[in-house]
Amino acid sequence: MFAILKLGGSILCDKNVPYSINWENLQNIGIEIKEALEYYRKEEINLKLIIVHGGGSFGHPVAKKYLKNGKFVDMGKGYWEIQKAMRKFNNIVIDELQNFEIPVVSIQPSSFITFDKDLNLRFDTNAIEKMLEKDLIPVIHGDIVIDERENNFKIFSGDHALPHLSKKLNPDLSLHASDVDGVWDTKFKVIEKIDSSNINKVLESLKPSNKEDVTGGMHLKVMECYNLGVKTIIFNGSKKRNIYNALLKNVKGTSIN
Ligand code: IP8
């Protein structure tokens, strides 16, 4: 069994309070991932896992300081400040998961990932694949990266990482843990399934979820997965047992096909 799980920054932090951690959620997530690993071990199934996490109240407020009219400015300082904020956040996530003896290792996108001139990701996954073979759990996160177009810099979102890795590595499960029960329709009812029959309507109604976010909220999640043809489920990762249930293929949310 091979799963890629994105933990939205909103479930790991209070997005309105810079540098805040939602310790209760982070600990529950640690417990539930550990339990899922144990469940599969007892079934004599090897669960291979990649974890992705977003920028939360670390990456977003710092990145926002360096964005002027949609372009990054003063990036001599900005690059390392955004990287540093994400380094701090990733350290906390990694340390907490390691406290549960989960064999997580950190992957820092700003060190080796770029967007090329056509906005395609240049993202070598060889080390990640080799880590998986050794039963390590790579943890990759949203970050600042070089954009080879004239703009020069771009946010690499966890919502780029999950579909890109899923497309390339073809997991059995691609999971988007968000802070809502799924993608809402205009009446705040969860849409069970997004496919070619309703994608345009859904994208039209979606707007970035939070004004503190420098990436694209639900719109980016849906669009990136749909455009790459990645099957995924968007579910509420802040509800207890949902991370465990999702890793056991048993969670409710919005599926994208
Ligand atoms: O929260 C954003 O990642 P996301 C990363 O997954 C930064 O979109 C640095 C803001």
Side-chain angles (χ1 to χ4, degrees):
M1 167 66 74
F2 173 28
I4 306 183
L5 167 68
K6 188 211 164 185
L7 302 169
S10 52
I11 60 177
L12 299 173
C13 303
D14 176 348
K15 271 210 177 169
N16 299 313
V17 183
Y19 297 101
S20 65
I21 292 286
N22 185 327
W23 289 104
E24 196 186 337
N25 277 359
L26 181 54
Q27 275 168 7
N28 282 335
I29 288 167
I31 291 168
E32 292 182 25
I33 292 174
K34 181 76 181 170
E35 285 179 4
L37 287 164
E38 270 163 18
Y39 167 86
Y40 281 108
R41 193 177 44 79
K42 281 192 193 130
E43 297 288 311
E44 297 185 356
I45 297 169
N46 192 1
L47 173 61
K48 303 244 177 242
L49 182 62
I50 298 177
I51 296 173
V52 179
H53 71 77
S57 65
F58 289 74
H60 288 278
V62 180
K64 209 175 178 199
K65 270 190 359 191
Y66 292 94
L67 264 179
K68 296 271 174 302
N69 304 320
K71 294 222 172 200
F72 280 106
V73 294
D74 194 16
M75 288 300 275
K77 185 165 184 210
Y79 202 85
W80 62 254
E81 248 210 271
I82 299 168
Q83 186 191 57
K84 186 172 180 175
M86 287 312 301
R87 229 174 351 109
K88 280 190 183 160
F89 187 20
N90 181 248
N91 262 345
I92 294 170
V93 174
I94 292 267
D95 285 355
E96 190 59 24
L97 296 180
Q98 285 175 349
N99 285 341
F100 292 98
E101 302 286 325
I102 300 169
V104 285
V105 287
S106 174
I107 306 283
Q108 186 183 37
S110 48
S111 306
F112 73 104
I113 293 174
T114 60
F115 282 94
D116 73 11
K117 291 197 171 61
D118 301 317
L119 213 56
N120 294 314
L121 276 171
R122 294 172 77 101
F123 179 176
D124 184 349
T125 55
N126 185 50
I128 292 179
E129 290 170 60
K130 298 295 169 223
M131 286 171 185
L132 289 173
E133 282 171 19
K134 304 221 172 308
D135 290 331
L136 292 166
I137 300 181
V139 179
I140 185 159
H141 53 82
D143 209 344
I144 184 74
V145 299
I146 304 281
D147 177 348
E148 294 173 32
R149 297 171 309 166
E150 57 186 288
N151 188 22
N152 291 335
F153 302 95
K154 187 171 165 61
I155 294 292
F156 169 74
S157 168
D159 297 335
H160 295 119
L162 177 101
H164 180 87
L165 287 167
S166 300
K167 178 86 183 166
K168 190 149 183 208
L169 305 180
N170 203 15
D172 303 292
L173 274 176
S174 176
L175 301 166
H176 253 298
S178 146
D179 63 344
V180 287
D181 291 345
V183 181
W184 286 328
D185 64 15
T186 45
K187 291 179 182 134
F188 299 101
K189 205 171 146 268
V190 171
I191 303 165
E192 267 177 42
K193 194 170 171 183
I194 298 175
D195 57 21
S196 57
S197 69
N198 59 355
I199 181 71
N200 290 334
K201 205 171 154 211
V202 171
L203 286 180
E204 256 170 47
S205 68
L206 291 177
K207 299 203 174 70
S209 60
N210 182 323
K211 62 180 187 315
E212 295 306 318
D213 241 354
V214 293
T215 47
M218 202 54 99
H219 189 276
L220 184 68
K221 284 187 216 324
V222 173
M223 196 183 63
E224 285 289 308
C225 285
Y226 184 80
N227 285 348
L228 286 176
V230 166
K231 287 190 182 184
T232 188
I233 179 152
I234 300 176
F235 66 99
N236 195 334
S238 55
K239 281 197 178 154
K240 271 201 176 163
R241 306 312 293 162
N242 266 4
I243 297 283
Y244 176 82
N245 288 333
L247 288 167
L248 269 66
K249 292 191 176 173
N250 187 25
V251 78
K252 283 209 170 79
T254 300
S255 66
I256 302 178
N257 286 290

